[in-house]
Amino acid sequence: MIDQSPSTGHLFPPAAADLSSRLLDWYARNQRDLPWRREPTPYRVWISEIMLQQTQASRVVPYFDHWMRVFPHVRAVADADQSGLLKVWEGLGYYTRAKNIQAAARIICAKHNEQLPSSLSALLSLPGIGPYTASAIASFAFHRNVPVVDANVQRVMARILNISQPIKFSPAQKAVHSAMKDLIPQGQSPSLNQAVMELGALVCLPRSPACSSCPITGFCRSLAADKVHARPVLPSKRKSTAIEVAAGVLVDQERILIQKRPPQGLMANLWEFPGGKLQPGESPEQALIREFREELELDIRVEDKITLIKHSYTRFRVTLHVFWCTLARPGQEPVLHAATEARWTSASSLSSYPFPSADRRLIQMLQNEGGPYAGRSN
């Protein structure tokens, strides 16, 4: 249910001021010390908001600090080599985010004198900045009185209002935005928006909400109706697809072959160990021999198995079979049919390239002192 006050037409009656005050008081005492909050410049807010997409704040902090050391301003991002940029981003996943940051940075330098624009329309015109991120920059960096609605805010407001419709449906979305507008005191947009976000991150949790510690329980309609655990109403989760993949660590004269993925598609422009998906009825060893021949025109011998790595992405659950490989005919060089580049490199140099997460786990294994690469040669 979504209740409205018939006298005002708003989701909150005059008691909204009391609710806002309680939220702001709680936030002043309980907010986390996060680096982008200490110095909320437009550039820092922008980078933090992109990094925080589908990533927990605690995990983002070291990446954000490192990014700011390497790219302290928009011009540094615009002028960066993309491979180096992706290397700094490595581990955060969803690499399109980093590429969009650079594309937007170049537009900002060319059209906005190296400064992020303050208007929502101008922000929305930049690659990678959608309605949520534009609102966050407008509120946190430019103090615009606009609601900033992320998953935490949706959950808190769905519970306060006891919204029985799916939270992603338009009526529920409109109700949340309207309620947040009612709550924002003039000039306090950054604090109020972040107060609701923080409440969702620390107290009004998805599975185990700490209602006994909540500063606004008297306003929570779902608590009064004993519906807290049923709010928000979420869509059914999409099932992830299981994929089996084989990868080969091809060693020749103490060098390892790596290849660069195409500029479009999944994990674009990242480096990887050659290999591919297993076809029906195919063993990992057979898949490697086929993939090396089809994609690189290399004849290989598949030797010992190094490891088996399981890794989950948003839509895929990957089982990665990894083998040592050698050239069946010495002196062969790769001929590219899918990758954009192939390169022989040392095991110690692998960490200087941006790799997908599963490959990074393999690299750590290869580089560990006394690990499976120790003393390995063909």
Side-chain angles (χ1 to χ4, degrees):
M1 112 182 130
I2 302 174
D3 294 333
Q4 285 191 320
S5 167
S7 60
T8 64
H10 292 286
L11 292 170
F12 285 126
D18 186 18
L19 176 53
S20 296
S21 177
R22 289 172 184 254
L23 284 166
L24 291 170
D25 288 345
W26 176 87
Y27 180 64
R29 296 191 307 271
N30 295 279
Q31 63 179 292
R32 289 169 292 177
D33 180 24
L34 299 172
W36 47 88
R37 288 178 178 167
R38 292 180 219 138
E39 189 183 348
T41 64
Y43 172 63
R44 290 168 65 86
V45 169
W46 170 41
I47 299 302
S48 69
E49 287 299 333
I50 300 298
M51 287 186 170
L52 286 164
Q53 292 171 6
Q54 302 188 56
T55 311
Q56 292 183 336
S58 59
R59 186 161 172 260
V60 165
V61 169
Y63 284 95
F64 178 84
D65 287 339
H66 181 50
W67 179 283
M68 287 300 158
R69 287 193 295 271
V70 179
F71 308 117
H73 44 70
V74 175
R75 173 55 67 183
V77 178
D79 292 344
D81 171 74
Q82 188 177 90
S83 182
L85 187 92
L86 293 177
K87 183 60 187 175
V88 174
W89 192 271
E90 186 183 53
L92 278 173
Y94 305 99
Y95 289 87
T96 300
R97 295 183 294 174
K99 295 170 192 172
N100 282 334
I101 287 175
Q102 185 169 58
R106 289 172 175 169
I107 294 171
I108 292 166
C109 289
K111 296 185 177 181
H112 300 287
N113 196 28
E114 303 184 16
Q115 302 297 317
L116 264 80
S118 60
S119 74
L120 286 172
S121 59
L123 288 167
L124 286 167
S125 71
L126 296 172
I129 295 185
Y132 165 78
T133 305
S135 296
I137 296 169
S139 173
F140 304 153
F142 295 110
H143 290 235
R144 297 275 300 279
N145 265 52
V146 293
V148 183
V149 180
D150 68 352
N152 284 320
V153 173
Q154 288 178 350
R155 183 169 59 257
V156 170
M157 301 312 298
R159 286 172 174 168
I160 290 176
L161 300 172
N162 193 23
I163 299 176
S164 60
Q165 296 162 312
I167 193 63
K168 297 298 183 183
F169 284 15
S170 179
Q173 293 280 305
K174 289 179 179 178
V176 170
H177 275 81
S178 178
M180 286 296 293
K181 283 182 180 179
D182 286 348
L183 288 178
I184 298 174
Q186 188 64 35
Q188 297 192 62
S189 171
S191 295
L192 191 284
N193 279 314
Q194 291 186 93
V196 182
M197 289 180 173
E198 200 78 333
L199 191 71
L202 301 180
V203 177
C204 195
L205 303 172
R207 294 180 181 84
S208 303
C211 295
S212 61
S213 302
C214 181
I216 56 170
T217 52
F219 297 86
C220 186
R221 298 172 187 172
S222 65
L223 180 63
D226 195 25
K227 292 286 187 180
V228 171
H229 289 279
R231 304 290 181 260
V233 178
L234 300 173
S236 300
K237 287 187 177 181
R238 291 187 299 177
K239 291 184 178 179
S240 58
T241 303
I243 298 175
E244 281 201 278
V245 179
V249 181
L250 178 61
V251 181
D252 181 59
Q253 299 179 8
E254 298 188 358
R255 306 172 303 164
I256 294 175
L257 184 69
I258 58 175
Q259 64 183 20
K260 192 173 186 180
R261 296 178 65 87
Q264 290 84 32
L266 189 65
M267 293 177 282
N269 284 334
L270 297 185
W271 291 83
E272 65 180 359
F273 297 96
K277 297 179 186 177
L278 275 63
Q279 294 183 353
E282 194 174 45
S283 70
E285 295 90 337
Q286 291 170 330
L288 274 179
I289 292 171
R290 174 183 55 76
E291 287 283 348
F292 270 88
R293 187 172 294 149
E294 291 177 354
E295 304 295 345
L296 297 166
E297 295 189 19
L298 294 176
D299 292 322
I300 64 166
R301 295 189 184 94
V302 180
E303 300 187 355
D304 298 337
K305 189 166 190 174
I306 301 173
T307 189
L308 181 117
I309 295 174
K310 294 188 177 183
H311 192 84
S312 294
Y313 296 91
T314 305
R315 292 174 292 170
F316 306 101
R317 288 175 287 111
V318 176
T319 299
L320 179 64
H321 305 265
V322 188
F323 293 83
W324 291 115
C325 300
T326 57
L327 292 172
R329 293 182 291 109
Q332 296 177 84
E333 288 296 331
V335 178
L336 303 182
H337 290 277
T340 59
E341 187 178 349
R343 189 174 295 181
W344 293 99
T345 188
S346 65
S348 61
S349 298
L350 289 171
S351 57
S352 64
Y353 297 89
F355 278 86
S357 297
D359 293 63
R360 287 177 60 238
R361 290 170 60 186
L362 173 60
I363 290 169
Q364 290 173 354
M365 184 183 301
L366 297 177
Q367 292 180 335
N368 281 342
E369 186 175 352
Y373 188 72
R376 183 83 190 187
S377 62
N378 58 319

